[in-house]
């Protein structure tokens, strides 16, 4: 015990120059012995060729101006010295033919060859990473990055990142532990010095044999993905396949972090396609079925992002996504999961009739309507329903309470949901009977109020829906009774090119112009001035409506005289 302690103290006392000198002394000894050996010729020939490369690597390190002040450099020289001692020991055993067995020696020689590879590689990385460019602290602790100057913090983080690439797995594991802690406190500094080679090293650790290392690595990867600063590097360095494998078979924490990473990365259409290409859809669908609440929501969001890419929608359908998304709508663990599933169904049904029929046959319309019953209906569910209304009969829609939900959305929904509801009315109003049903449900006054919406898209679709509904005389009379109808329509006669509702407003006002009261209101709100500009722009119906209003104005003028 005393001898071991003295030996440890001797090791700690040695400088980088001492270790360099020791390694330089051992290289010729190891080479001379290796060249004497008759047995295992193939293995020793390979070992000898690697030993011959060590002097040049030692020279590269020793020529660096910060060679003697860098902790990593000293550690690397220690590792090389240890490997050279092992080579000399094995060479002596082979020369004297004093070893336990041929297979055991072959295994030891293969292990030595691997260590030499690692030493040579790590020496090259020390130069390549640039970490030798600064003197480093003798030890690295989570607090050291935030103490002292920013430059010191950057230096220590660079050394830490270099440790992820250099040395044996356990050393990388320790570096990873420290990096996880630093990321919690000082993520900005880590990101500022992160390089592509560090990303590559992290991605490689995702496939480490140790589950603990994989779990900690994916936690760092997740932070990097969420930072939004290095997604392209992560993807180009091959992060997707190991992330997908972790979603399939990682620990609970590993699955969660891997899924959240894919959620963030899938926002890019190119990456979304790549996730599909690497077989990521099936594990994500399974996560939606059986994952915990956070993982389930992240998986649903990832699939939603992927479904935004039209050319992969059929692949998603073949993997059974429709049934899974409908199930999430009915019983998702988090409200976010339900919202993502509704958005996914909206994307899937946007342009594919076969997928629309699939959603209908799986009971998707009822589930979407049920989701709309909440206090603030969202655009996604109403948008999906808008895509589906043409695939079922009006009788079916009426029987499952579609019109009642339309009124609820127009009253209480988000602006986007209201816009989607008005758009659905435009699609469903194919007959006089349906137009009457929509009006009787109470949609007319809500659409008239929607003409005051802040967004041009909402105003346009509301005006379009009203122009369709008002072709039915009964509906037109109901609109006349609403005090806001004429002033709201007139406001939409603005000739501004961004106002795309003006053509529908002209149509609606033409329908109302048979009423003297409505014509007087139109004139009083300035419709004639607007219509003169619209007539010059050849907006359909503008000239006809202008003539009616001007004719009425002249009659009124003469009657007063």
């Amino acid at each position: 015990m005393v001898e071991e302690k003295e030996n440890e103290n001797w090791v700690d006392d040695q400088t980088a120059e001492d270790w360099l000198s020791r390694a330089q002394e051992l290289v010729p000894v190891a080479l001379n012995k290796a060249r004497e050996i008759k047995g295992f010729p193939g293995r020793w020939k390979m070992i000898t060729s690697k030993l011959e490369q060590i002097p040049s690597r030692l020279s590269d390190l020793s020529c660096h101006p910060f060679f003697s002040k860098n902790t990593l450099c000293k550690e690397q020289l220690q590792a090389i010295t240890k490997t050279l001692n092992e080579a000399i020991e094995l060479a002596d055993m082979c020369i004297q033919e004093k070893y336990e067995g041929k297979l055991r020696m072959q295994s030891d020689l293969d292990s030595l060859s691997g260590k030499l590879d690692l030493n040579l590689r790590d020496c090259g990385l020390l130069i390549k990473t640039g970490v030798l460019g600064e003197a480093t602290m003798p030890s690295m602790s989570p607090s050291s990055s935030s103490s002292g100057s920013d430059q010191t913090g950057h230096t220590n983080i660079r050394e830490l990142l270099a440790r992820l690439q250099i040395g044996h797995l356990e050393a990388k594991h320790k570096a990873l532990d420290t990096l996880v802690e630093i990321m919690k406190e000082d993520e900005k500094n880590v990101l500022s010095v992160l390089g592509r080679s560090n990303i590559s090293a992290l991605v490689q650790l995702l496939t480490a044999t140790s589950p603990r290392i994989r779990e900690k690595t994916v936690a760092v990867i997740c932070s990097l993905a969420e930072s939004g600063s290095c997604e392209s590097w992560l993807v180009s360095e091959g992060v997707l396949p190991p992330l997908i494998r972790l979603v399939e078979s990682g620990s609970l924490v590993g699955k969660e972090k891997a899924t959240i990473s894919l959620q963030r990365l899938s926002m890019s259409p190119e990456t979304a396609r790549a996730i599909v290409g690497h077989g990521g859809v099936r594990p994500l669908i399974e996560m939606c079925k059986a994952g915990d609440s956070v993982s389930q929501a992240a998986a649903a969001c990832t699939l939603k992002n992927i479904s935004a890419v039209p050319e992969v929608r059929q692949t998603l359908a073949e993997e059974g996504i429709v049934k899974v998304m409908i199930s999430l709508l009915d019983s998702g663990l988090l409200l976010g999961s339900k919202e993502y599933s509704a958005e996914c169904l909206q994307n899937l049904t946007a342009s594919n009739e076969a997928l629309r029929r699939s959603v209908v046959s799986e009971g998707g319309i009822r589930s979407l309507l049920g989701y709309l019953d909440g206090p603030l209906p969202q655009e996604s569910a109403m948008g999906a329903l808008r895509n589906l209304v043409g695939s079922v009969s009006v009788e079916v829609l009426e029987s499952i309470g579609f019109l009642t939900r339309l009124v609820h959305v127009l009253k209480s929904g988000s602006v986007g949901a209201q816009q989607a509801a008005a758009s659905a009315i435009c699609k469903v109003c194919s007959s006089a009977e349906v137009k009457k049903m929509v009006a009787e449900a109470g949609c007319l006054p809500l659409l008239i109020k929607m003409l005051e919406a802040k967004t041009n898209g909402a105003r346009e679709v509301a005006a379009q829906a009203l122009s369709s509904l008002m072709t039915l005389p009964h509906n037109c009379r109901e609109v006349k009774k609403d005090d806001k109808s004429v002033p709201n329509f007139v406001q939409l006669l603005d000739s501004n090119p961004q106002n795309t509702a003006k053509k529908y407003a002209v149509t609606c006002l033409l329908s109302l112009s048979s009423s003297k009261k409505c014509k007087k209101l139109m004139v009083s709100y300035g419709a004639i001035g607007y219509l003169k500009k619209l007539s010059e722009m050849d907006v359909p119906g503008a000239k006809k409506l202008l003539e009616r209003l001007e004719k009425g104005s002249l009659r009124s003028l003469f009657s007063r005289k």
Side-chain angles (χ1 to χ4, degrees), residues 6-19:
E6 288 176 354
N7 189 49
E8 286 176 11
N9 290 336
W10 180 86
V11 168
D12 290 338
D13 289 341
Q14 303 306 295
T15 64
E17 286 90 345
D18 294 333
W19 286 109

Side-chain angles (χ1 to χ4, degrees), residues 491-499 502 530 533-534 537:
Q491 288 298 312
L492 295 182
L493 295 176
D494 192 329
S495 59
N496 189 317
Q498 294 180 343
N499 174 28
K502 49 185 172 282
Y530 286 126
K533 291 183 180 179
L534 297 185
M537 295 165 63

Side-chain angles (χ1 to χ4, degrees), residues 109-151:
L109 292 175
D110 289 340
S111 174
L112 173 62
S113 184
K115 290 174 184 177
L116 285 167
D117 279 335
L118 185 63
N119 292 152
L120 292 168
R121 171 186 168 277
D122 287 354
C123 281
L125 281 170
L126 270 176
I127 302 296
K128 184 180 175 182
T129 58
V131 75
L132 289 184
E134 294 110 352
T136 57
M137 307 289 275
S139 63
M140 183 67 195
S141 64
S143 60
S144 63
S145 69
S146 55
S147 61
S149 67
D150 287 344
Q151 185 60 42

Side-chain angles (χ1 to χ4, degrees), residues 207-221:
T207 56
T209 52
S210 165
R212 289 189 305 145
I213 290 180
R214 292 198 301 269
E215 190 173 294
K216 289 170 185 175
T217 302
V218 77
V220 176
I221 295 283

Side-chain angles (χ1 to χ4, degrees), residues 218-519:
V218 77
V220 176
I221 295 283
C222 186
S223 295
L224 296 179
E226 289 185 307
S227 74
S229 61
C230 48
E231 298 104 310
S232 59
W233 279 355
L234 285 166
V235 174
S236 64
E237 291 300 326
V239 79
L240 296 179
L243 284 178
I244 291 167
R245 300 292 82 79
L246 280 172
V247 173
E248 277 183 316
S249 56
S251 63
L252 287 176
V253 173
K255 286 182 177 183
E256 178 184 307
K257 296 297 184 182
T259 310
I260 293 171
S261 300
L262 290 174
Q263 175 186 345
R264 184 63 180 79
L265 295 171
S266 64
M267 292 171 68
S268 157
E270 293 78 14
T271 305
R273 294 186 193 95
I275 291 171
V276 175
H278 287 297
V281 174
R282 170 54 49 186
L284 288 166
I285 284 179
E286 291 302 319
M287 185 65 74
C288 286
K289 292 179 181 178
D292 60 43
S293 57
V294 175
S295 298
Q296 184 186 76
C301 186
T302 307
L303 290 168
K304 179 265 295 184
N305 292 342
I306 294 172
S307 70
V309 182
E311 61 266 32
V312 303
R313 288 171 186 160
Q314 190 56 45
T315 302
L316 292 174
E318 290 167 2
E319 292 285 359
I321 194 170
V322 170
K323 193 169 185 178
V324 171
M325 290 297 115
I326 291 171
S327 176
L328 274 184
L329 266 182
D330 294 333
S331 55
L333 299 173
L334 293 177
L335 190 59
S337 300
K338 294 173 179 282
E339 179 61 20
Y340 295 139
S341 63
E343 287 184 66
C344 186
L345 291 172
Q346 182 182 8
N347 290 337
L348 292 171
T349 56
S351 58
N352 189 313
E353 183 56 35
L355 283 173
R356 289 175 191 147
R357 289 196 295 270
S358 176
V359 173
V360 171
S361 66
E362 293 286 354
I365 290 184
R366 285 186 182 275
S367 296
L368 288 163
L369 288 172
Y371 179 54
L372 283 176
D373 286 336
L376 183 62
Q378 295 299 307
E379 177 182 357
S380 54
M382 193 63 244
L385 285 166
R386 174 197 58 211
N387 297 339
L388 295 170
V389 290
S391 302
V392 290
S393 67
V394 176
E395 290 76 20
V396 170
L397 289 174
E398 185 185 16
S399 68
I400 59 179
F402 175 69
L403 295 178
T404 305
R405 267 41 168 263
L406 270 184
V407 173
H408 174 53
V409 173
L410 288 172
K411 278 183 180 178
S412 308
S414 65
V415 173
Q418 291 176 357
Q419 186 171 329
S423 180
I425 290 172
C426 295
K427 291 186 71 172
V428 81
C429 286
S430 56
S431 67
E433 181 185 0
V434 178
K435 292 175 184 180
K436 183 180 179 183
M437 288 165 53
V438 170
E440 289 176 347
C443 291
L444 290 175
L446 297 169
L447 289 169
I448 291 168
K449 183 180 180 182
M450 194 173 160
L451 297 173
E452 304 168 6
K454 293 181 179 180
T455 64
N456 176 66
R459 294 192 298 269
E460 179 186 8
V461 74
Q464 183 183 2
L466 285 165
S467 67
S468 174
L469 291 166
M470 288 171 66
T471 57
L472 194 68
H474 175 269
N475 290 349
C476 192
R477 288 193 294 272
E478 291 300 312
V479 173
K480 285 178 186 178
K481 295 175 185 178
D482 194 304
D483 294 337
K484 290 187 175 182
S485 59
V486 171
N488 284 355
F489 283 131
V490 172
Q491 288 298 312
L492 295 182
L493 295 176
D494 192 329
S495 59
N496 189 317
Q498 294 180 343
N499 174 28
T500 52
K502 49 185 172 282
K503 60 181 179 179
Y504 300 115
V506 170
T507 302
C508 292
L509 288 169
L510 270 171
S511 298
L512 296 173
S513 63
S514 59
S515 162
K516 290 182 180 180
K517 179 183 176 183
C518 288
K519 282 195 289 186

